[in-house]
Amino acid sequence: MTISGIADLEQLEARGFEAVFPHSTPWDLLKHSAARAPDATAIRFLRDAGDPAADRIVSYGDLLRDSMGAARLFRGLGVVPGRSVALMAQHTPSAHVALWGGQIAGHVCPINPLLKPAHIAGLLKAAGAAVVVITGVNDEIDYWSNLVPALRAEGVTLPILACDGDADCPGADGIFEDLVAGNLAGPEIAPEGDEHALAAYYHTGGTTGAPKLVRHSRLNEAHVARSCALLHDLAPQDVVVNGFPLFHVAGAFVYGLSTLSAGGTLLIPGRLGMRNQTFMRSIWQQVERHGITIVGAVPTVLAALNGIPVNADISTLRWFLTGGSPLPTELAEATESKTGRGVRNILGMTECAGAIAVEPVHGPRTPLSCGLRMPFSEVAILGETAGDADPDKRLGADQTGIIALRGPNVSAGYSDPQRNAGTFLPGGWLVSGDIGKLDTAGRLYVTGRAKDIIIRGAHNIDPQMIEDALLAHPEVENAAAVGMPDAYAGELPVAFVTLRSGAQADGSALIAFLRERIDDPVALPKRIGVLEALPLTPVGKIFKPTLRREAILWAIAAAAEEAGIDASVVDIEVSESLDTSVEVPAATLDAMKQALTGMPLALTITGRE
């Protein structure tokens, strides 16, 4: 049925959970699609975005067969219920085979390969890994050559298999594709347990600190996949661009398994995903060539697409789907005006397999909304008790509070239950950490994120307000606002931008522009930096810790100058966790300490002779 609003969603739910979701595990979804059309294309992988003849085509029958072959391989290597396959691979057909095969044999733990080796080693131990699959040596992206020796140096003795390599992979305990090919025959392995059994561990909580793993049940993943397929109206004829990594829930479930559950085709833009410049520069020709119907992209990628002239027939294109960070209204309007195709928003988090709310494609795009809750789930806006979200204080329509949810998409918690406090609450509630509201039509809005709020004195400043105002400037391509430490106010708002090609605006001009657009004067940024590129995560989100680090450098340099200390003699080091050390000439030590007193930093100040 077509879903355009909350009434349609409630009508769907009236049919009953089992009628709407007859397949409650990823493996059941894949088997159903393969049984319906075994020869249909499940995955089109662009080995060379400039040469369609090089495309790798994987049918549903192939995907099912190879995934079972991987399950036999993994079982022989000790992967049983309670043990995992650690997957550090680019988004490729082989990675899909490892992901789904690992869930048959035991469970999987997809890991960002760009994390530090010591952190990865900790994740391997916490996830109960029995085998590791890593992208092998190739000309496009080679982390094998440094990562594998570093993991061995960290004491990792597990078998490490290379996939998708183009050259010799020193230290490999086998080539994944060859080993799968050798396990295509034999008895099938039936996944043990029901839909509530552990399917995967997904790491979260940033790139530093002790391992933090989210437990995904099979039902969590299947529910998100089918819910997104329903709200996005996915069908077998859809061709969906998915350049997200599989260690990200959007790549695996929101865009990945959802498309496969509908019998559609995943189009993967090579090992580099949406960082494949050949693909990005020819995006509209790719739409025409492959009959692309849907493009999944974070807002930063949408902004880049807006700079590429539409120079091909894009009549097959239906929608742009986006999420991962707030969707600026100006960006959505620009994309729709340029292409004539709608943009729809998604809100998700790792702790619920990637989806809290989705804007249905057949409903209107509502500025600043991220859509409707998942079917058979519940979203509430909670008030606080002693600073914590309180399920007994549910707020009404259009009241702002903390967003919480419960339902089949919500994880049972972290692998270490001690980490659940404050996030997973009694009654099945998951606290998102986002601040928002629900309107009378059931649409969810995010107005800020608790940990992103800039606190200037006793005044809370929403960084999104600053970012949206900056994005209204015709020369600004992207923007991010963070708090800069201040000894008096605690934090002051600052911002960073990238400019469109040929633009000349500087920080002073942008601040002058904002004076007319930001109603609250305390929210006006004290400084705006113009960068060539904003720091991004592997999935294209703006990585604000890097910007906070730069803001700390600004703050300390400014404090030194105010204290009469030449900034050139001040040595500043800021760690990934934002711990800060400052070294100055001994004669200026007392003055520097006084200048920095009150700054909300983990700060060490020393003098040198």
Side-chain angles (χ1 to χ4, degrees):
M1 63 176 290
T2 299
I3 300 173
S4 61
I6 193 65
D8 298 323
L9 189 59
E10 291 170 346
Q11 183 180 351
L12 178 77
E13 291 169 332
R15 293 164 49 186
F17 187 86
E18 292 186 1
V20 178
F21 297 105
H23 309 291
S24 56
T25 76
W27 186 234
D28 287 339
L29 290 173
L30 294 174
K31 287 197 299 182
H32 176 71
S33 292
R36 182 173 51 196
D39 296 327
T41 299
I43 299 172
R44 178 182 291 272
F45 180 74
L46 307 189
R47 287 196 180 101
D48 180 350
D51 181 9
D55 292 354
R56 180 182 173 189
I57 307 299
V58 179
S59 72
Y60 276 93
D62 295 337
L63 181 59
L64 203 73
R65 178 201 64 204
D66 291 353
S67 297
M68 182 56 69
R72 295 188 188 100
L73 166 65
F74 294 145
R75 183 57 58 85
L77 292 171
V79 180
V80 296
R83 300 298 302 276
S84 72
V85 176
L87 179 60
M88 286 172 271
Q90 297 304 105
H91 190 164
T92 65
S94 291
H96 271 276
V97 167
L99 182 69
W100 310 124
Q103 291 201 11
I104 298 169
H107 63 276
V108 293
C109 182
I111 297 173
N112 180 354
L114 299 181
L115 297 178
K116 290 186 175 180
H119 190 67
I120 292 175
L123 290 169
L124 295 177
K125 183 177 179 180
V131 61
V132 185
V133 180
I134 301 180
T135 297
V137 177
N138 65 83
D139 291 335
E140 291 180 304
I141 184 164
D142 178 22
Y143 38 74
W144 175 282
S145 297
N146 292 322
L147 179 57
V148 172
L151 289 177
R152 294 304 190 202
E154 291 291 337
V156 175
T157 60
L158 300 171
I160 298 179
L161 310 181
C163 72
D164 297 304
D166 293 335
D168 182 53
C169 300
D173 294 301
I175 303 302
F176 176 68
E177 293 85 357
D178 293 344
L179 294 170
V180 169
N183 280 275
L184 296 182
E188 289 203 355
I189 297 174
E192 296 184 24
D194 61 12
E195 67 270 24
H196 301 292
L198 178 65
Y201 281 132
Y202 269 76
H203 64 86
T204 186
T207 61
T208 59
K212 188 177 183 182
L213 294 167
V214 179
R215 297 173 56 89
H216 280 182
S217 74
R218 295 165 181 162
L219 178 60
N220 295 153
E221 298 176 351
H223 178 261
V224 163
R226 286 305 298 153
S227 295
C228 290
L230 290 166
L231 290 160
H232 292 150
D233 191 27
L234 297 180
Q237 61 267 30
D238 277 307
V239 179
V240 179
V241 173
N242 182 355
F244 289 77
L246 291 181
F247 63 76
H248 192 278
V249 285
F253 312 116
V254 175
Y255 301 122
L257 186 58
S258 64
T259 301
L260 297 174
S261 77
T265 297
L266 281 177
L267 188 142
I268 305 171
R271 280 181 290 227
L272 296 177
M274 300 305 267
R275 290 179 293 164
N276 183 334
Q277 290 304 305
T278 301
F279 178 81
M280 290 291 289
R281 286 193 294 266
S282 61
I283 181 64
W284 311 122
Q285 288 94 339
Q286 301 289 342
V287 170
E288 179 177 356
R289 177 181 300 157
H290 299 295
I292 292 168
T293 60
I294 293 173
V295 174
V298 294
T300 50
V301 172
L302 282 186
L305 295 182
N306 280 347
I308 302 172
V310 178
N311 51 7
D313 179 1
I314 63 170
S315 57
T316 61
L317 188 62
R318 298 202 295 153
W319 313 104
F320 294 93
L321 306 179
T322 188
S325 57
L327 172 62
T329 301
E330 295 83 0
L331 174 59
E333 290 175 346
T335 302
E336 291 175 342
S337 176
K338 183 183 187 71
T339 64
R341 303 299 185 270
V343 178
R344 294 296 182 268
N345 202 6
I346 301 164
L347 175 67
M349 58 191 300
T350 306
E351 287 83 351
C352 60
I356 297 171
V358 167
E359 276 196 302
V361 293
H362 292 298
R365 178 180 58 79
T366 305
L368 305 180
S369 169
C370 39
L372 305 176
R373 59 176 174 79
M374 299 293 94
F376 300 96
S377 74
E378 188 176 2
V379 172
I381 307 300
L382 304 182
E384 295 178 281
T385 296
D388 294 324
D390 187 346
D392 292 330
K393 292 184 176 179
R394 296 184 62 164
L395 304 179
D398 295 320
Q399 290 186 288
T400 299
I402 298 173
I403 298 171
L405 62 147
R406 60 183 175 185
N409 51 331
V410 173
S411 162
Y414 299 112
S415 60
D416 179 0
Q418 295 183 13
R419 290 181 172 270
N420 290 345
T423 301
F424 293 95
L425 304 184
W429 288 105
L430 168 62
V431 177
S432 74
D434 291 310
I435 297 171
K437 64 181 182 178
L438 286 163
D439 67 12
T440 54
R443 293 183 292 249
L444 181 64
Y445 299 78
V446 175
T447 59
R449 180 155 180 85
K451 69 179 182 181
D452 279 349
I453 292 296
I454 300 165
I455 303 176
R456 180 174 182 173
H459 194 98
N460 289 354
I461 300 169
D462 181 0
Q464 187 177 341
M465 171 181 62
I466 300 170
E467 292 158 2
D468 288 350
L470 281 167
L471 289 167
H473 191 287
E475 293 187 9
V476 173
E477 182 175 77
N478 216 337
V482 298
M484 180 177 72
D486 182 74
Y488 174 74
E491 288 183 309
L492 295 172
V494 297
F496 300 84
V497 301
T498 57
L499 301 179
R500 301 188 186 282
S501 177
Q504 300 294 321
D506 60 14
S508 298
L510 293 173
I511 290 174
F513 174 81
L514 292 185
R515 281 197 179 96
E516 303 300 321
R517 287 163 175 81
I518 292 182
D519 294 331
D520 191 342
V522 303
L524 186 70
K526 300 296 290 184
R527 180 172 176 177
I528 297 177
V530 178
L531 306 179
E532 290 188 5
L534 291 175
L536 303 177
T537 70
V539 298
K541 292 185 187 180
I542 296 172
F543 189 61
K544 286 194 173 181
T546 298
L547 299 180
R548 292 190 184 99
R549 180 182 182 277
E550 186 65 25
I552 290 171
L553 296 174
W554 283 355
I556 294 174
E561 290 179 0
E562 288 179 7
I565 304 170
D566 185 348
S568 67
V569 302
V570 181
D571 294 329
I572 310 168
E573 291 187 4
V574 184
S575 73
E576 290 185 4
S577 59
L578 303 185
D579 292 340
T580 303
S581 61
V582 178
E583 186 181 84
V584 295
T588 65
L589 180 59
D590 289 342
M592 194 71 203
K593 285 183 176 179
Q594 184 175 353
L596 298 180
T597 298
M599 276 199 182
L601 291 172
L603 184 62
T604 302
I605 310 172
T606 58
R608 64 174 180 271
E609 295 301 328

